[in-house]
Amino acid sequence: MALVEPVLGEPAAVAETGGGRALVVADYHAGIEVSLRRKGLEVEGRGPQRRRRLRRLVREEGADRLVVLGDVGHAIGTPEGAEREELAALFDAVDVPATVVVGNHDSGIEDVVPADVTVTPSDGTVLGDVGFAHGHTWPSQAVLEAETVCIGHEHPAVRLTDDVGGTRVQRAWLRGPLDPAPFTDHYGEAVDAHGDLAVFPAFNDLSGGTWVNVDGQGFLAPFLPAGCPDAELYLQDGTRLGRFDRV
């Protein structure tokens, strides 16, 4: 059985963490609607819907822990106002222990979440044989040497075109074997990055994404695509599209 299995039809996965079972999501972006309104977009708050969806997934998947792969909040800076309220409501609603990996939108998050929420360094953490990082910076060597490495940050999406020229964009997974070479170059010593990398779609459906099969759409993580050059794309319904650079 794979250590990390996507939940069919959802931007979430279940990870076996050595005696535990974690529901893993990336890029929750609580309070994103505030930012969108400042840009002139009329968007109703969807915080309650996000919480209900997350609670349902925790329950249905029998998870005993929640792991958020960074960007649990949206504002770059200490969360305030509606975002702070949504984060408080989120962790009040989740009835299992939670781990938050610090992402580039999570400045000051440790001062906002409850004391019983574990906040990791920005280079990630390891639970069992699974490494967790956000992806905006280089994961630690310990994370990279896990059997499976989970990251967010990219919000991967794929643009699909039909026979009559219509297009649609769908969130997607990127998954493939790690190549240790760029990590060894970065750290200046051998890094045993021998496992698989799983790049999660964004949990928040308002957060946009990187269209990984469109020219000019570069990756955000400093180690992609070199760190996983053979990554393949999968839709959330499990459809395998093949290598990201050939779709």
Side-chain angles (χ1 to χ4, degrees):
M1 180 178 178
L3 288 172
V4 177
E5 286 285 357
V7 179
L8 194 63
E10 299 284 356
V14 173
E16 301 297 334
T17 59
R21 181 176 173 86
L23 183 81
V24 187
V25 300
D27 300 288
Y28 191 88
H29 286 279
I32 192 174
E33 293 87 351
V34 174
S35 176
L36 293 175
R37 291 187 199 112
R38 288 172 180 163
K39 296 177 181 178
L41 299 176
E42 292 299 324
V43 182
E44 293 185 2
R46 300 183 187 178
Q49 294 93 317
R50 285 191 285 272
R51 288 194 296 278
R52 287 195 294 269
R53 188 180 193 185
L54 196 61
R55 280 175 55 91
R56 173 179 60 80
L57 288 169
V58 168
R59 181 179 66 252
E60 290 179 352
E61 299 303 321
D64 54 26
R65 175 169 293 276
L66 170 67
V67 176
V68 183
L69 297 173
D71 289 1
V72 65
H74 182 69
I76 298 178
T78 302
E80 302 290 348
E83 178 178 337
R84 194 181 188 104
E85 292 172 4
E86 183 179 345
L87 287 168
L90 166 64
F91 291 109
D92 184 59
V94 174
D95 56 5
V96 295
T99 297
V100 173
V101 180
V102 169
N104 54 304
H105 283 254
D106 292 324
S107 176
I109 196 68
E110 63 276 1
D111 297 326
V112 176
V113 300
D116 59 351
V117 173
T118 301
V119 178
T120 81
S122 59
D123 60 0
T125 192
V126 179
L127 299 174
D129 292 324
V130 183
F132 303 95
H134 181 56
H136 65 303
T137 189
W138 293 82
S140 71
Q141 294 186 55
V143 168
L144 291 167
E145 292 173 355
E147 292 299 320
T148 301
V149 177
C150 302
I151 68 166
H153 187 53
E154 292 290 344
H155 306 192
V158 59
R159 187 176 69 181
L160 303 175
T161 304
D162 60 29
D163 293 338
V164 295
T167 63
R168 69 184 190 278
V169 176
Q170 292 191 21
R171 283 175 289 180
W173 295 84
L174 274 172
R175 191 155 189 172
L178 284 165
D179 183 340
F183 305 107
T184 294
D185 288 345
H186 174 74
Y187 282 105
E189 60 185 34
V191 177
D192 184 21
H194 62 277
D196 289 332
L197 179 71
V199 185
F200 280 54
F203 189 82
N204 193 314
D205 58 6
L206 294 175
S207 59
T210 300
W211 297 4
V212 296
N213 67 328
V214 175
D215 290 340
Q217 290 276 305
F219 284 92
L220 302 175
F223 49 85
L224 289 179
C228 192
D230 296 323
E232 296 193 330
L233 277 166
Y234 296 83
L235 298 182
Q236 291 184 152
D237 65 4
T239 302
R240 177 173 172 264
L241 300 179
R243 273 183 52 148
F244 75 94
D245 55 354
R246 298 175 183 171
V247 175

